[in-house]
Amino acid sequence: MNLSSKKQSNFRRGSINHILKVKALLGPTNTGKTYYAMERMLSHSSGIIGFPLRLLARENYDKAVLEVGKSKVALVTGEEKIIPPTSKYFCCTVEAMPLDRTFSFVAIDEIQLAADPDRGHIFTDRILNTRGTEETVLLGAETIKPLLQKILPNCSIEIRPRLSILSYIGVKKFTRLKPRSAIVAFSIPEVYKIAELIRTKKGGAAIVMGALSPRTRNSQVELYQNGQVDYLIATDAIGMGLNMDIDHVAFASDTKFDGKIPRYLNPPEIAQIAGRAGRHSRNGSFGVVEDHLKFDEETIEQIENHSFFPLKNIWWRNSELNFDSLKALVSSLEAYPPFNFMRRKVGALDALCLNHLSEISSIKNKINNKEALILLWDVCQIPDFSNSLSGVHFSLLEKTFELLLANEKLDNDWIKSQLNRLNRFDGEIDTLLNRISNIRTWTFITNRQKWIDESEYWQNEAKTIEDKLSDELHNRLTQRFVDKRIVILNKTLKEHNNLEALIRLDGKVIVEGEEVGLLKGFEFIPSLSEGEKAGPILTAARKILPKEIERRVRELLMSDNAAFKFNIDGSILWQNNKVAKLTRGEILYSPKIIILNSEFLSDEQIKQIEIRVNDAVEKNIENILSEAINLKNPILNSEQPINESEKQQNISITINDTDKELGKSLSGKALGIAYQVYEGLGSAQTNNLSMSTMNLSEFDKRNLARLRLRLGVETIYLPNLLKPAAIKLRALLWSVYNQDFPKDASPPDGRVSIKTSPNVKREFYRALGFVPLGNLALRADIAERLSALIRTEARSGQFRINDMMLSIAGATKIQMEEILYDLGYSKCGEEPSTLVDQVPIIIFEKSKKVNRAKVKNFNKKTHKNKNYKDKRPSKTQNKEKLPDPLSPFAILKSIKIKK
């Protein structure tokens, strides 16, 4: 639009008191103002309406085309021009209205925007200067009425009431919002956050923001309008004439950034947005999503009654510009308004660009004539849709001006390079938004036909890129914020009234080719959000589940015991799916069974499953831990084979008839030891036994061996229960019984030592058959081997840690020191290492009583005290040592059978 044109017509008059009649239709949203204006325009021989948004211009253009045909309707916006040769009716943005044409009918929509700091001066200019030859209609809110009467005293004003009732309903949380609700926020991150929540809880939402291109906005609105989603997340972009089927508007924020500072919304702004709820005669409601956002009573009353304080000021800028010189142009822009309630607009984008470009020396020297100055001003009208006002925009304007001044046309190669840079569809949503902002600027430029050779070609190129970016952005928004399966399946449901469902072998539940959930065991886990739109789809899925559940129940009841597995968290797996869980029972070896709830299992099926699972659990425990369970009430069989440990010791035993009779019973002492090993899940600490293993008879030792027990110095244990399967089950039973499930505390399969955790009870390690020593836990048989080796080394008195000890325990020297302290040995000295830069070699000996804490403190002083007192008794104090009755050699001697 060339604002430098001096041509006057009946459409654009300089006088504000023109004799042609002007009518104003004022009132809140949903009063039919725009509908009235469109009808009046189409009843004239020609007409034009200026809309506040490109989107509204396009929407009403489409309506007019349906009414009178495409050849009679034109669309003129900053970025798009469709002007058939025979066009009579123009739908335009206010800024893009062609001021050099004459129309019988003229209408300006949303004239209260004259009070907008950014665009208000444009609306004020149209109110003052645009007239139809037969009829002029101004549309807007009642708040502008007093000022309009001052500007146009002969204007006929009609106040229109809202066609429906708008009511405040208070606080409604996101999850309790009814379908057909719009949620309003005022920043892009906040919009995204809310949309993610609605997708999770309700299945999805459409997005409407000012930063979207009209094509993307239309696609998102269509997604909502055709019922594919029931929720709309928007900025205040929905407040300006977007007509949608919204029943409720929920405010998620009450502040917005106005370009300078964040500020609270005022009542008219709230009403403009809230007014989107309820169309025609259908009532609407508005509210907030959090308690702290509640509106005060005065604001609510103003909005419900559509009664607001009138506007006190509107913005104005002189439109009769002087291009005789740069100074004259600037002076005309700074002219004062004709009314004192009009604020002079300063700092508009075009004025800022003019000020910046005119300071560039290469340009300053070229605008010494009127034509060059007019061209520079026209270049400054190029919009910055990114609203960044960055150096990139200034550089674009500078290059554009220089090319036009030198060649009168923009260079095709340059245009191509600029468009190619934007012809990309990768990146995140924000990247696409930025590209769309930039391509919209080029759509504007390519619509300036005088600036470009082959303008139609470049218009199509820019428009094609914008459309592709818009479509890609729409797809990205839909992918991120809408569960597409719900959209597809609801569309199918509307078309066919029913949905076909099936279950795959892997348990995936498929409805019309889309996965909607997974049947794990007897539990159906939907993968759709449980929103209103997902309801019919999940209902279709659930219809096919009972038959599959019944089949699975039959299969479970016929499964052998091996099909049921124990999980570390206490659950029971069948076909790798959780079907039950273990809970504490009366005794350690008999946990109770709880069948996991399923909406599809009948009471009878639950009872059958419980019986079968309980039987499998008992059998599996009995199978793995049978040797320990037998110790509760031990029964000896004379034919019972000898213990593996005895075989490893090469013990040769011949059983005569007398021994057979004696082996049929155990003494009370032996029974007590056996029972305590039973209570320990297959192992017991010797120094914690209620009765000593000292002085056991040969028969008791022999019979305990036949019960698979290994009588160690540190631990009495069942070697077969130190295998991985038994260790896992022992850990599980202890955890279930004690309701304590230590995390990552069980040893990996085959490991003979594990580092202990301070957060895990030592009783847990002992229940597994491991012996806590220092900060390690050693498997009982390994602990016995290590103990035997250390005893052998200690026979000569003092000894040192050797590689064999470290190898058996899988320990470092520091860890071995801790182990030795726990086994009752103390440090008695040290000697220098034979290796350079190595710590001294520490010497140990057997100590009668060791206070581990004191020993540790003593150890900390190693490098200060090089000599340690030998704690061994002197030779005069030595007494004859008795052989260890529990040593392997003593056991061999005691069980040797005399022939």
Side-chain angles (χ1 to χ4, degrees):
M1 175 180 63
N2 188 344
L3 297 181
S4 65
S5 174
K6 289 188 175 181
K7 180 179 179 181
Q8 299 296 319
S9 67
N10 286 334
F11 172 55
R12 181 173 176 82
R13 299 286 185 181
S15 172
I16 63 174
N17 294 311
H18 192 262
I19 59 172
L20 293 178
K21 185 177 180 181
V22 177
K23 180 179 181 178
L25 287 183
L26 305 180
T29 57
N30 192 30
T31 55
K33 299 186 295 294
T34 306
Y35 179 79
Y36 171 86
M38 287 292 291
E39 275 197 330
R40 295 300 303 149
M41 181 180 73
L42 297 179
S43 69
H44 284 270
S45 60
S46 65
I48 184 171
I49 300 181
F51 294 98
L53 298 173
R54 176 186 173 189
L55 183 65
L56 292 177
R58 182 77 201 202
E59 179 183 321
N60 286 281
Y61 164 79
D62 292 335
K63 290 178 180 178
V65 166
L66 291 176
E67 288 286 331
V68 299
K70 197 170 186 178
S71 63
K72 295 182 180 181
V73 186
L75 174 67
V76 181
T77 69
E79 307 150 68
E80 194 171 12
K81 287 182 174 62
I82 303 173
I83 309 177
T86 57
S87 56
K88 298 164 58 179
Y89 307 107
F90 280 63
C91 294
C92 313
T93 52
V94 171
E95 288 87 345
M97 295 173 73
L99 303 179
D100 56 351
R101 299 185 61 145
T102 300
F103 296 94
S104 298
F105 174 87
V106 171
I108 308 298
D109 193 18
E110 305 289 2
I111 60 171
Q112 77 278 1
L113 288 179
D116 180 72
D118 293 324
R119 304 170 65 206
H121 62 287
I122 303 294
F123 284 84
T124 300
D125 179 71
R126 302 301 182 262
I127 293 170
L128 291 172
N129 299 316
T130 52
R131 300 291 182 269
T133 58
E134 298 176 9
E135 183 178 4
T136 301
V137 176
L138 304 177
L139 313 172
E142 192 176 350
T143 53
I144 200 173
K145 178 182 175 181
L147 298 184
L148 193 61
Q149 289 173 325
K150 293 178 180 179
I151 299 171
L152 305 173
N154 296 322
C155 177
S156 170
I157 297 178
E158 178 184 340
I159 305 300
R160 288 206 161 195
R162 183 178 165 91
L163 298 176
S164 61
I165 297 172
L166 183 63
S167 304
Y168 179 70
I169 63 171
V171 180
K172 288 280 185 184
K173 300 290 186 181
F174 290 117
T175 54
R176 302 192 66 183
L177 289 174
K178 59 185 179 181
R180 315 313 292 168
S181 290
I183 303 168
V184 181
F186 297 98
S187 71
I188 291 177
E190 194 174 7
V191 167
Y192 290 169
K193 181 181 177 181
I194 295 169
E196 294 277 13
L197 175 64
I198 296 300
R199 183 190 190 280
T200 301
K201 300 295 183 181
K202 303 288 188 179
I207 305 294
V208 172
M209 303 183 296
L212 302 182
S213 67
R215 184 182 179 94
T216 304
R217 266 183 284 179
N218 285 340
S219 298
Q220 288 289 302
V221 167
E222 179 63 21
L223 193 67
Y224 174 84
Q225 283 294 92
N226 64 22
Q228 294 183 62
V229 294
D230 272 334
Y231 298 88
L232 183 72
I233 318 300
T235 61
D236 51 354
I238 68 165
M240 204 59 66
L242 284 178
N243 297 317
M244 293 174 286
D245 298 325
I246 298 172
D247 293 334
H248 178 72
V249 172
F251 287 82
S253 176
D254 59 357
T255 58
K256 64 176 289 185
F257 183 74
D258 65 1
K260 294 180 180 178
I261 58 171
R263 63 168 178 82
Y264 287 103
L265 300 174
N266 57 50
E269 289 173 325
I270 297 172
Q272 186 72 33
I273 299 167
R276 295 301 104 196
R279 303 309 297 164
H280 306 297
S281 60
R282 191 176 74 252
N283 295 335
S285 62
F286 69 102
V288 295
V289 297
E290 298 289 348
D291 288 331
H292 72 274
L293 296 172
K294 286 180 180 178
F295 299 132
D296 59 67
E297 291 297 329
E298 184 180 356
T299 299
I300 295 168
E301 184 178 354
Q302 289 182 57
I303 296 170
E304 290 184 336
N305 297 326
H306 318 295
S307 176
F308 306 101
F309 294 113
L311 295 175
K312 295 181 179 180
N313 304 98
I314 58 176
W315 294 90
W316 177 89
R317 189 176 73 177
N318 182 27
S319 58
E320 298 297 327
L321 303 181
N322 186 344
F323 292 95
D324 290 340
S325 66
L326 177 62
K327 184 177 180 180
L329 175 59
V330 173
S331 179
S332 63
L333 285 169
E334 294 177 351
Y336 283 90
F339 294 93
N340 58 9
F341 56 80
M342 291 181 177
R343 292 182 176 179
R344 183 165 57 93
K345 174 64 178 177
V346 293
L349 175 64
D350 51 7
L352 291 174
C353 292
L354 176 67
N355 180 63
H356 178 83
L357 294 177
S358 63
E359 292 296 323
I360 298 174
S361 57
S362 60
I363 293 178
K364 192 173 185 177
N365 298 329
K366 297 175 182 176
I367 52 174
N368 50 14
N369 62 75
K370 193 171 186 177
E371 290 72 20
L373 191 57
I374 290 173
L375 176 62
L376 180 61
W377 180 247
D378 283 345
V379 168
C380 289
Q381 305 307 306
I382 296 174
D384 177 18
F385 287 105
S386 65
N387 294 319
S388 62
L389 197 60
S390 64
V392 175
H393 186 67
F394 289 138
S395 297
L396 173 66
L397 300 189
E398 181 183 353
K399 179 75 172 179
T400 302
F401 174 74
E402 289 180 342
L403 287 174
L404 290 173
L405 189 64
N407 307 315
E408 296 185 355
K409 298 287 184 180
L410 296 178
D411 181 69
N412 284 340
D413 290 337
W414 181 62
I415 297 173
K416 183 178 180 180
S417 67
Q418 296 298 305
L419 295 185
N420 286 342
R421 182 174 57 86
L422 300 172
N423 193 18
R424 294 175 52 191
F425 311 102
D426 57 322
E428 300 297 325
I429 288 175
D430 290 341
T431 304
L432 293 174
L433 281 171
N434 184 59
R435 287 198 194 114
I436 287 175
S437 296
N438 287 307
I439 197 64
R440 288 178 68 187
T441 297
W442 274 99
T443 304
F444 179 93
I445 294 172
T446 55
N447 272 279
R448 305 300 292 266
Q449 296 182 7
K450 293 181 179 180
W451 290 1
I452 299 175
D453 283 328
E454 304 177 61
S455 60
E456 187 175 345
Y457 168 79
W458 290 115
Q459 286 172 28
N460 290 332
E461 284 292 297
K463 189 67 171 61
T464 299
I465 295 173
E466 181 183 339
D467 288 348
K468 287 181 179 180
L469 284 168
S470 298
D471 291 341
E472 181 64 25
L473 178 59
H474 169 67
N475 291 333
R476 297 287 186 87
L477 290 170
T478 304
Q479 289 170 10
R480 180 170 172 181
F481 302 122
V482 178
D483 194 324
K484 197 65 176 177
R485 292 165 299 176
I486 292 180
V487 174
I488 295 171
L489 294 173
N490 270 297
K491 184 177 180 180
T492 305
L493 184 61
K494 286 180 180 179
E495 293 174 353
H496 304 291
N497 295 321
N498 69 320
L499 297 170
E500 296 293 329
L502 58 90
I503 303 175
R504 290 180 178 169
L505 293 176
D506 58 5
K508 290 180 180 177
V509 180
I510 309 299
V511 176
E512 295 290 343
E514 298 290 333
E515 182 183 338
V516 300
L518 182 67
L519 185 61
K520 296 191 71 175
F522 305 109
E523 181 185 9
F524 175 57
I525 303 173
S527 56
L528 295 179
S529 307
E530 290 276 3
E532 290 83 355
K533 286 293 181 183
I537 302 167
L538 296 179
T539 298
R542 287 185 171 98
K543 284 181 180 179
I544 63 166
L545 294 177
K547 284 188 177 180
E548 174 63 15
I549 293 289
E550 186 177 351
R551 185 194 69 78
R552 292 190 177 194
V553 170
R554 290 197 303 268
E555 186 177 351
L556 179 143
L557 297 177
M558 293 186 293
S559 298
D560 58 23
N561 295 333
F564 300 90
K565 308 293 183 183
F566 296 114
N567 201 26
I568 192 169
D569 63 355
S571 57
I572 300 169
L573 305 180
W574 176 72
Q575 294 185 346
N576 292 322
N577 295 312
K578 295 180 181 180
V579 295
K581 66 177 182 179
L582 301 174
T583 187
R584 180 187 172 109
E586 293 182 3
I587 61 174
L588 187 60
Y589 290 86
S590 298
K592 292 181 179 179
I593 308 298
I594 298 177
I595 303 302
L596 297 182
N597 289 331
S598 170
E599 59 181 303
F600 302 101
L601 288 173
S602 66
D603 291 342
E604 180 61 27
Q605 288 174 326
I606 291 174
K607 186 177 180 181
Q608 291 176 334
I609 294 171
E610 185 176 5
I611 293 172
R612 178 67 192 95
V613 172
N614 192 64
D615 181 65
V617 168
E618 288 182 355
K619 292 293 195 300
N620 284 336
I621 292 175
E622 184 180 339
N623 180 53
I624 297 173
L625 302 181
S626 59
E627 291 184 5
I629 295 171
N630 185 43
L631 296 178
K632 183 179 181 181
N633 296 299
I635 299 174
L636 289 173
N637 184 346
S638 60
E639 300 300 325
Q640 194 167 342
I642 203 65
N643 188 315
E644 283 295 325
S645 62
E646 292 175 347
K647 289 182 180 179
Q648 290 172 6
Q649 297 175 53
N650 296 318
I651 299 175
S652 176
I653 301 177
T654 303
I655 303 174
N656 57 27
D657 292 339
T658 303
D659 289 331
K660 287 181 183 180
E661 294 300 323
L662 292 173
K664 291 178 182 179
S665 62
L666 286 170
S667 69
K669 190 173 184 179
L671 286 171
I673 292 172
Y675 191 81
Q676 286 183 272
V677 175
Y678 160 78
E679 287 182 322
L681 288 167
S683 59
Q685 193 175 355
T686 54
N687 58 13
N688 284 345
L689 293 175
S690 59
M691 54 200 71
S692 173
T693 56
M694 299 288 290
N695 302 322
L696 277 173
S697 69
E698 293 182 6
F699 299 133
D700 280 340
K701 292 178 181 177
R702 195 160 55 238
N703 287 332
L704 288 174
R706 285 188 171 81
L707 291 173
R708 310 297 189 199
L709 279 171
R710 171 71 184 270
L711 301 179
V713 174
E714 305 293 336
T715 309
I716 301 178
Y717 61 94
L718 291 164
N720 287 336
L721 268 58
L722 299 178
K723 296 177 180 178
I727 290 173
K728 289 179 181 178
L729 183 54
R730 291 169 72 170
L732 178 61
L733 292 178
W734 186 92
S735 296
V736 170
Y737 189 77
N738 292 279
Q739 289 300 290
D740 180 6
F741 293 83
K743 187 178 180 181
D744 301 325
S746 296
D749 290 355
R751 284 285 296 274
V752 298
S753 67
I754 184 173
K755 190 173 182 178
T756 59
S757 169
N759 299 321
V760 179
K761 295 177 181 177
R762 295 173 78 83
E763 290 82 358
F764 172 78
Y765 297 109
R766 291 203 173 275
L768 274 58
F770 278 63
V771 181
L773 294 170
N775 62 358
L776 293 180
L778 306 182
R779 204 173 66 190
D781 56 337
I782 299 302
E784 290 300 324
R785 282 182 59 196
L786 177 64
S787 180
L789 175 62
I790 293 171
R791 288 197 303 273
T792 301
E793 293 292 327
R795 283 176 184 167
S796 60
Q798 297 179 351
F799 66 94
R800 297 162 184 77
I801 296 172
N802 58 39
D803 291 340
M804 182 63 74
M805 295 178 190
L806 300 177
S807 176
I808 291 174
T812 64
K813 285 189 176 182
I814 294 175
Q815 290 172 333
M816 182 56 65
E817 288 181 29
E818 299 289 325
I819 291 172
L820 288 170
Y821 297 144
D822 276 0
L823 288 175
Y825 296 90
S826 63
K827 186 189 302 182
C828 64
E830 64 180 35
E831 59 186 32
S833 172
T834 56
L835 300 176
V836 179
D837 296 331
Q838 293 294 312
V839 297
I841 298 172
I842 299 171
I843 303 171
F844 286 86
E845 69 173 359
K846 184 68 176 176
S847 178
K848 291 182 178 179
K849 291 183 180 180
V850 178
N851 184 319
R852 189 180 174 199
K854 289 183 178 180
V855 171
K856 282 187 174 180
N857 290 333
F858 183 67
N859 182 36
K860 291 178 182 178
K861 302 176 182 178
T862 298
H863 299 291
K864 294 182 181 179
N865 302 304
K866 298 299 181 181
N867 299 313
Y868 297 95
K869 183 178 179 181
D870 192 345
K871 294 185 178 181
R872 291 177 297 166
S874 63
K875 292 183 179 180
T876 57
Q877 293 175 316
N878 275 340
K879 298 181 180 179
E880 183 180 354
K881 287 187 177 181
L882 295 174
D884 186 348
L886 294 181
S887 70
F889 300 100
I891 293 172
L892 278 170
K893 184 176 180 180
S894 66
I895 62 175
K896 188 174 180 181
I897 308 302
K898 297 178 180 179
K899 294 185 179 180

